[in-house]
Amino acid sequence: MLTIPDRFTAKVTRVRPLLRDRQLVVLDGKMLFEGGQAMVSRLKVGDEVRVARASSLFGNRFRIIGPGHRPFTAARIRCERLELTLDKQRKCKLIQSAP
């Protein structure tokens, strides 16, 4: 299981836009997040981002702030889990293709 601190900085290693202004973001080649506001955040590979835990209920909601200083909320997809839906398995393949 991956231990993630409440606040950290990371490097964007992959970004994939989704429908309805959503995006998948891979950080440090090992953590996958799905969130909104893709047009506003304008993240690119190589960007340094600040990440803070936004929800302690289930611990998978994070606030991500990139170089544009426009925060967005994203949910971490726990790709390390054995039981994933087919949709999440497909999304987790983005980590494997990250440099």
Side-chain angles (χ1 to χ4, degrees):
M1 183 170 173
L2 199 60
T3 303
I4 299 178
D6 289 341
R7 293 180 183 274
F8 63 96
T9 58
K11 183 178 178 182
V12 175
T13 52
R14 194 77 197 255
V15 179
R16 174 168 291 160
L18 301 173
L19 296 175
R20 297 186 195 106
D21 199 31
R22 299 192 56 73
Q23 62 187 332
L24 290 174
V25 180
V26 178
L27 300 180
D28 290 341
K30 60 185 173 186
M31 295 176 284
L32 178 64
F33 294 87
E34 181 176 1
Q37 301 179 336
M39 297 297 288
V40 173
S41 68
R42 293 181 291 190
L43 290 179
K44 299 183 299 292
V45 172
D47 284 348
E48 181 105 354
V49 295
R50 291 179 289 143
V51 184
R53 194 175 302 274
S55 167
S56 59
L57 182 61
F58 294 108
N60 71 335
R61 306 285 297 161
F62 291 84
R63 188 174 159 177
I64 300 174
I65 303 173
H69 303 287
R70 302 295 289 262
F72 68 96
T73 302
R76 186 171 87 78
I77 298 176
R78 296 180 175 149
C79 296
E80 68 274 9
R81 296 183 76 182
L82 296 176
E83 292 122 14
L84 292 172
T85 63
L86 289 175
D87 182 52
K88 287 186 179 175
Q89 287 176 20
R90 181 181 49 80
K91 290 175 181 176
C92 287
K93 288 182 181 177
L94 191 62
I95 290 177
Q96 297 167 355
S97 66

